[in-house]
């Protein structure tokens, strides 16, 4: 009854079943002989032995309505009794086929393995391979086993088998004999099945396990197979010369690594120019991947070796080998220019120190005056003719002490002398000596502008000083900015908001842009930037601190069967220091090229030779330290000129004030005499008026007397 119920569930056309380990499964009551006649031998034992020879813990069985129920029940009994978990998919209907494909999608998404054996028609096998290719369910831990039968392989079935798949095919050439074919048994053939084992009734597997150990090392020798490898010009990893329709690789660290791999694994390779000449990044609109990594994802290229940084996003499209470079992110800016030597006198101390010194200049004079005047006011010991004069003397004396000049002490009291001693020691040993030492060191090594060393300083420079930040198109740094958070997100927003363009075709282009501008920055891998700035003159650039750790590796197709062999070689040469040595050799060759270029420049014509000497001299002046010269002391002469000018202005002001004072006094005195003269004139006028009045009265009196005399005479 249990067996009948289970078979009803199993062969339902709309269900899939999972049978775990250690399930009490009833033994079948049907004979084996009938099954052997129907399947050309004991297919039940052969299928079980083959699956058990893989040491699987779980197996998926896909079957259709034409599968013999008795055969399937016997097979399930063998698996369950040997603790092999089973997933059953009745793929008769499209719905269950979609469920199986959804199961594969879940396994791939979560990086889980799956082992499937198919019992169906040849047409369905071709359809399954097409679905696996289209949906990219190709991984090293996904194994597909097909029961083919006695008919020869169809052309479409062979054509749909990719070399990166793990496909096993069970054939039945004669009764009680089953052959096992494997598509990765030979490294140099594509769409090919090679017999790796067989099973015979009464004997079992000829070799155990099902896949013999010798086939695990099949990719150690590719039999001179030719690989087409995309290449991008990116020193020092690859040096590529582009012609009209061809390219020529002239060297590079990764070109040497690829040459070493080809010798070890016995394959040949030919470079080709990828369409976009970029590494590539995903496009969120349609989910595709562009660039060289997109070619590998589409399985149009075998692998790509170069400065390919590992990232989680890229790992969903390609598979990475062992690291070829442990690098870190960084950015470069133009080298800080020399500070103005005229202001060298003000640089020994930070600006926060100068206000304190100024306050000291202002306060010590009044303090000394208070020390002298207050005790004398409380208990007079000497006569102070003018407190204003005493205050001026105290202020001037403290100023001369701070300027390391001698002066007359304004007082001989013990308190004043003690204060003057402390002031002299402080000004001499703390301020003046430290100032002199710092000034001497700055003159010996002229100061430069403050360099930009981290992202916070770069963000501030972009916000306040108008800096522009550039990044290589479709690089790992570009993905970091596009998908990053925090300061990366803020920088990304500033780049999109303020700059008309910020994407570069190559890091080399960005380095040249920084060399020719003073407010540009380029972010990329530190090793790439370091090599490029050596090429274009290290004195022109400033390399920032390490931003984030990044690793580069070889990008291969998902499910690549020979990645383990590549990893073994890479780990060996990495541990032996060969990769590091290859990188150092590129720097040595760069130095030799510079020496050759310098020797060539010496043989130029006289006019050009003179110009090149001038350019070389300027570069040498920037790179080497210079002894102290009179030019570095120009600030002193500027200060002297300013002092003389200020003194002249003060003298002119004094002359003008003195002249104005004399004029004022003269005018004041003149104004005083005019007033007296007016008073005099007023007095004289009044006296004259009085005299005139007296004379008038006298005349009138004389006239009256004369008139009276006339009467008497008559």
């Amino acid at each position: 009854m249990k067996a009948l119920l289970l078979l009803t569930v199993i062969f339902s056309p709309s269900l899939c079943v999972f049978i775990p380990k250690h399930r009490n499964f009833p033994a079948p009551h049907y004979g084996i002989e009938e099954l052997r006649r129907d399947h050309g031998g004991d297919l039940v034992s052969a299928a079980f032995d083959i699956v058990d020879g893989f040491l699987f813990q779980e197996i998926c069985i896909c079957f259709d309505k034409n599968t013999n129920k008795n055969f399937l029940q016997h097979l399930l009994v063998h698996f369950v009794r040997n603790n092999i978990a089973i997933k059953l998919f009745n793929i008769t209907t499209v719905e269950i086929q979609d469920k199986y494909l959804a199961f594969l999608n879940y396994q791939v998404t979560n990086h889980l393995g799956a082992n499937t054996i198919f019992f169906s028609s040849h047409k369905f096998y071709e359809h399954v391979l097409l679905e696996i290719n289209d949906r990219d369910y190709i991984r090293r831990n996904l194994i597909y086993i097909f029961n083919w039968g006695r008919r020869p392989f169809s052309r479409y079935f062979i054509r749909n088998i990719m070399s990166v798949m793990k496909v096993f095919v069970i054939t039945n050439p004669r009764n009680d004999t089953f052959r096992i074919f494997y598509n990765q048994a030979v490294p140099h053939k594509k769409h090919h099945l090679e017999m790796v084992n067989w099973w015979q009734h009464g004997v079992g597997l000829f070799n155990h396990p099902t896949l013999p150990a010798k086939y695990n090392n099949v990719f150690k020798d590719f039999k001179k197979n030719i690989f087409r490898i995309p290449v991008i010009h990116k020193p020092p990893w690859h040096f590529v010369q582009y012609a009209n329709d061809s390219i020529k690789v002239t060297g590079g660290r990764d070109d040497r690594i690829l040459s070493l791999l080809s010798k070890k694994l016995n394959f040949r390779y030919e470079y080709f120019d990828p369409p976009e000449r970029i590494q590539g990044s995903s496009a969120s609109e349609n989910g595709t991947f562009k660039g060289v990594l997109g070619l590998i994802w589409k399985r149009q290229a075998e692998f790509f070796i170069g400065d390919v940084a590992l990232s989680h996003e890229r790992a969903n499209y390609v598979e990475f080998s062992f690291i070829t470079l442990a690098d870190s992110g960084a950015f470069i800016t133009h080298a800080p220019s020399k500070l103005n030597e005229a202001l060298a006198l003000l640089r020994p101390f930070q600006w926060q120190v100068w206000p304190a010194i100024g306050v000291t200049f202002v306060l010590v004079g009044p303090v000394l005056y208070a020390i002298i005047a207050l005790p004398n006011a409380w208990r007079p010991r000497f006569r102070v003719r003018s407190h204003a004069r005493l205050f001026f003397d105290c202020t001037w004396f403290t100023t001369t002490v701070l300027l390391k000049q001698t002066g007359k002490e304004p007082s001989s009291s013990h308190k004043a002398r003690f204060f003057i001693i402390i002031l002299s020691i402080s000004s001499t040993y703390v301020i003046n000596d430290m100032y002199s030492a710092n000034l001497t060191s700055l003159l010996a090594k002229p100061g430069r502008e403050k360099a930009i060393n981290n992202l916070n300083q770069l963000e501030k420079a972009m916000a306040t000083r108008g800096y522009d930040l550039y990044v290589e198109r479709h690089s790992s740094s570009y993905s970091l900015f596009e998908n990053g958070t925090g300061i990366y997100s803020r920088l990304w927003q500033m780049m999109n908001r303020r700059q008309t363009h910020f994407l570069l075709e190559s890091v080399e282009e960005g380095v040249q842009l920084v060399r020719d501008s003073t407010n540009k920055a380029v972010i990329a891998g530190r090793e790439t930037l370091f090599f490029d700035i050596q090429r274009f003159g290290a004195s022109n650039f400033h390399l920032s601190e390490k931003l984030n750790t990044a690793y580069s590796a070889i990008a291969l197709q998902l499910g690549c069967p020979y990645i383990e062999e590549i990893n073994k070689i890479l780990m060996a040469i990495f541990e032996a220091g060969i990769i590091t040595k290859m990188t150092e050799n590129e720097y040595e060759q760069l130095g030799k090229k510079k020496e050759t270029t310098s020797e060539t420049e010496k043989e130029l014509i006289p006019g050009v030779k003179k110009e090149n000497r001038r350019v070389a001299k300027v570069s040498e002046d920037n790179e080497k330290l210079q002894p102290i010269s009179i030019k570095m002391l120009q600030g002193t002469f500027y200060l002297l000129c300013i002092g003389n000018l200020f003194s002249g202005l003060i003298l002119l002001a004094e002359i003008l004030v003195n002249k104005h004072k004399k004029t004022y006094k003269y005018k004041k005195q003149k104004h005083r005499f005019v007033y007296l003269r007016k008073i005099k004139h007023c007095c004289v006028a009044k006296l004259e008026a009085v005299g005139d009045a007296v004379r008038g009265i006298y005349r009138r009196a004389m006239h009256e007397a004369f008139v009276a005399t006339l009467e008497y005479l008559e």
Side-chain angles (χ1 to χ4, degrees):
M1 187 64 181
K2 291 182 180 180
L4 181 61
L5 180 61
L6 183 60
L7 288 175
T8 302
V9 173
I10 291 174
F11 288 96
S12 175
S14 60
L15 292 175
C16 60
V17 180
F18 172 66
I19 303 176
K21 300 178 182 180
H22 308 294
R23 182 185 177 97
N24 294 325
F25 196 77
H29 299 287
Y30 308 102
I32 297 296
E33 296 299 328
E34 294 81 0
L35 297 177
R36 291 179 62 186
R37 288 196 304 269
D38 295 340
H39 297 88
D42 191 1
L43 181 59
V44 174
S45 299
F48 170 75
D49 289 344
I50 292 172
V51 172
D52 187 60
F54 284 112
L55 304 178
F56 293 155
Q57 298 295 321
E58 183 178 317
I59 188 71
C60 298
I61 300 177
C62 295
F63 59 94
D64 57 13
K65 61 182 180 180
N66 297 322
T67 305
N68 191 299
K69 299 179 181 179
N70 298 332
F71 161 76
L72 188 60
Q73 188 179 13
H74 280 80
L75 186 61
L76 295 180
V77 170
H78 279 72
F79 285 144
V80 172
R81 287 180 176 177
N82 288 273
N83 300 327
I84 299 177
I86 306 169
K87 281 186 174 67
L88 294 174
F89 293 91
N90 188 347
I91 54 178
T92 303
T93 61
V94 177
E95 290 78 7
I96 301 300
Q97 295 176 16
D98 292 338
K99 287 185 178 181
Y100 172 70
L101 295 175
F103 162 73
L104 289 181
N105 182 68
Y106 177 83
Q107 300 296 104
V108 169
T109 304
N110 294 276
H111 307 284
L112 302 174
N115 311 301
T116 307
I117 184 168
F118 295 91
F119 297 98
S120 186
S121 63
H122 296 167
K123 291 293 183 182
F124 179 76
Y125 295 163
E126 297 172 2
H127 171 71
V128 168
L129 291 177
L130 287 175
E131 289 291 336
I132 292 173
N133 287 331
D134 292 340
R135 299 172 184 253
D136 197 23
Y137 297 152
I138 302 174
R139 301 293 186 274
R140 293 196 305 277
N141 56 358
L142 297 181
I143 298 177
Y144 305 97
I145 306 173
F146 298 93
N147 178 42
W148 187 263
R150 292 194 177 184
R151 294 175 58 185
F153 299 125
S154 66
R155 180 177 58 180
Y156 297 104
F157 178 74
I158 296 295
R159 184 182 298 174
N160 292 335
I161 296 177
M162 303 290 294
S163 59
V164 291
M165 292 180 177
K166 278 196 172 183
V167 175
F168 292 88
V169 182
I170 303 174
T171 63
N172 181 217
R174 58 180 182 273
N175 290 338
D176 292 330
T177 301
F178 295 91
R179 292 179 180 177
I180 304 164
F181 289 82
Y182 182 38
N183 70 317
Q184 294 181 359
V186 291
H188 59 287
K189 294 182 180 180
K190 297 181 179 180
H191 311 293
H192 175 75
L193 289 171
E194 185 83 8
M195 188 178 72
V196 295
N197 208 341
W198 64 88
W199 184 94
Q200 191 171 5
H201 181 68
V203 179
L205 286 174
F206 184 77
N207 290 308
H208 195 85
T210 303
L211 183 64
K214 66 178 182 179
Y215 293 103
N216 294 329
N217 300 322
V218 68
F219 292 103
K220 285 187 175 181
D221 186 1
F222 279 90
K223 308 294 184 182
K224 299 294 183 180
N225 191 23
I226 300 178
F227 290 158
R228 297 185 71 247
I229 310 299
V231 63
I232 300 175
H233 175 71
K234 196 170 186 180
W237 322 116
H238 276 114
F239 292 90
V240 183
Q241 294 180 356
Y242 295 98
N244 294 329
D245 296 325
S246 62
I247 60 173
K248 181 181 179 181
V249 179
T250 58
R253 198 282 308 264
D254 289 336
D255 180 65
R256 295 187 180 187
I257 294 178
L258 183 58
S259 177
L260 188 146
L261 290 175
S262 66
K263 293 178 181 179
K264 291 293 183 180
L265 300 179
N266 193 23
F267 66 84
R268 294 176 294 172
Y269 61 92
E270 56 183 22
Y271 289 115
F272 73 92
D273 187 15
E276 297 176 331
R277 294 179 182 175
I278 57 174
Q279 292 186 11
S281 64
S282 63
S284 57
E285 293 81 6
N286 51 12
T288 59
F289 211 90
K290 299 180 179 180
V292 175
L293 300 182
L295 296 178
I296 298 174
W297 173 57
K298 297 174 185 177
R299 305 189 187 278
Q300 298 176 3
E302 295 293 337
F303 58 86
F304 173 65
I305 180 171
D307 185 25
V308 188
L310 280 71
S311 65
H312 175 72
E313 183 183 20
R314 292 180 172 183
N316 295 324
Y317 296 89
V318 297
E319 197 162 359
F320 289 103
S321 67
F322 182 77
I323 62 173
T324 57
L325 178 67
D327 198 4
S328 58
F331 64 87
I332 60 170
T333 54
H334 198 276
S337 59
K338 289 184 179 180
L339 295 173
N340 189 357
E341 295 174 349
L343 301 177
L345 295 175
L346 302 177
R347 291 199 192 101
F349 295 148
Q350 298 290 333
W351 68 269
Q352 296 89 344
V353 178
W354 291 107
I357 296 176
V359 171
T360 303
F361 268 90
V362 173
L363 292 181
V364 292
V367 170
L368 181 59
Y369 168 76
I371 291 175
I372 297 172
L374 290 179
N376 189 68
W378 178 259
R379 183 178 295 177
R381 294 179 179 273
F382 57 91
R383 180 184 177 185
V384 179
R385 295 182 178 179
S386 174
H387 284 276
R389 184 65 183 180
L390 177 62
F391 181 82
F392 176 79
D393 291 340
C394 293
T395 305
W396 180 249
F397 176 77
T398 54
T399 303
T400 56
V401 168
L402 290 171
L403 295 177
K404 299 184 69 175
Q405 297 177 0
T406 60
K408 182 180 179 181
E409 297 178 359
S411 176
S412 60
S413 63
H414 297 298
K415 294 179 181 180
R417 288 182 176 180
F418 182 73
F419 179 80
I420 292 171
I421 291 172
I422 295 176
L423 180 63
S424 301
I425 294 174
S426 301
S427 63
T428 302
Y429 296 102
V430 177
I431 298 177
N432 292 317
D433 289 352
M434 289 188 63
Y435 175 83
S436 301
N438 281 279
L439 179 61
T440 303
S441 63
L442 287 174
L443 294 176
K445 184 178 180 181
R448 293 180 177 272
E449 296 177 350
K450 188 176 181 181
I452 303 174
N453 291 315
N454 52 52
L455 291 178
N456 292 320
Q457 295 176 359
L458 179 61
E459 181 184 15
K460 184 177 180 181
M462 293 178 66
T464 59
R465 298 164 58 184
Y467 267 72
D468 295 332
L469 180 60
Y470 296 86
V471 63
E472 185 183 10
R473 186 188 304 272
H474 298 308
S475 62
S476 59
S477 300
Y478 172 82
S479 302
L480 184 62
F481 276 102
E482 187 179 23
N483 304 318
T485 58
I487 191 170
Y488 287 101
S489 177
R490 296 196 301 270
L491 290 174
W492 176 257
Q493 294 175 4
M494 293 177 66
M495 292 162 64
N496 282 277
R497 185 175 63 253
R498 295 175 59 253
Q499 299 179 217
T500 56
H501 74 283
F502 53 85
L503 298 179
L504 302 171
E505 298 300 328
S506 64
V507 178
E508 184 178 2
E509 177 186 351
V511 174
Q512 293 178 350
L513 185 65
V514 173
R515 181 191 60 182
D516 300 333
S517 304
T518 58
N519 60 342
K520 309 292 183 184
V522 175
I523 188 168
R526 186 178 177 87
E527 284 291 336
T528 304
L529 291 174
F530 185 75
F531 186 84
D532 282 334
I533 65 179
Q534 297 297 324
R535 293 173 59 201
F536 297 105
S539 60
N540 298 318
F541 305 95
H542 174 74
L543 187 62
S544 72
E545 300 173 352
K546 296 180 180 179
L547 303 180
N548 59 288
T549 303
Y551 300 95
S552 299
I554 301 176
L556 303 101
Q557 297 180 7
L558 292 172
C560 179
Y562 49 85
I563 186 173
E564 294 181 359
E565 301 299 331
I566 291 179
N567 286 340
K568 291 178 182 178
I569 298 175
L570 291 179
M571 284 189 287
I573 63 177
F574 186 85
E575 293 174 355
I578 297 177
I579 293 182
T580 305
K581 180 61 177 176
M582 289 180 177
T583 307
E584 293 175 354
N585 288 340
E586 294 299 327
Y587 290 102
E588 292 179 0
Q589 290 186 1
L590 176 64
K592 293 179 180 178
K593 289 181 180 179
K594 285 187 175 182
E595 292 178 0
T596 304
T597 305
S598 301
E599 293 177 357
T600 305
E601 290 178 351
K602 293 179 180 179
E603 301 174 357
L604 297 174
I605 58 178
V608 180
K609 184 177 180 181
K610 182 178 180 180
E611 180 67 21
N612 279 271
R613 281 202 306 266
R614 187 183 64 81
V615 174
K617 185 177 184 302
V618 172
S619 177
E620 184 180 358
D621 291 342
N622 292 330
E623 292 180 1
K624 294 183 179 180
L625 300 179
Q626 297 294 316
I628 297 178
S629 62
I630 195 68
K631 180 182 178 182
M632 298 179 182
L633 302 176
Q634 58 181 314
T636 306
F637 296 99
Y638 287 138
L639 185 61
L640 179 60
C641 292
I642 293 173
N644 292 333
L645 180 62
F646 183 73
S647 301
L649 292 176
I650 296 298
L651 178 61
L652 180 62
E654 289 181 352
I655 294 173
L656 293 176
V657 169
N658 188 29
K659 183 178 180 180
H660 177 73
K661 187 176 180 180
K662 290 182 178 179
T663 305
Y664 177 76
K665 288 182 179 180
Y666 174 76
K667 287 183 178 181
K668 189 175 181 181
Q669 292 176 358
K670 186 178 180 181
H671 178 72
R672 186 182 305 166
F673 293 150
V674 169
Y675 182 74
L676 294 175
R677 194 178 295 113
K678 285 182 179 181
I679 295 174
K680 177 182 178 182
H681 289 167
C682 183
C683 294
V684 170
K686 287 185 177 184
L687 290 174
E688 289 178 353
V690 171
D692 292 338
V694 171
R695 283 193 296 269
I697 293 171
Y698 174 76
R699 288 175 180 177
R700 283 193 300 269
M702 291 300 293
H703 178 71
E704 290 178 357
F706 181 74
V707 172
T709 302
L710 289 177
E711 290 180 358
Y712 177 75
L713 291 177
E714 290 178 359

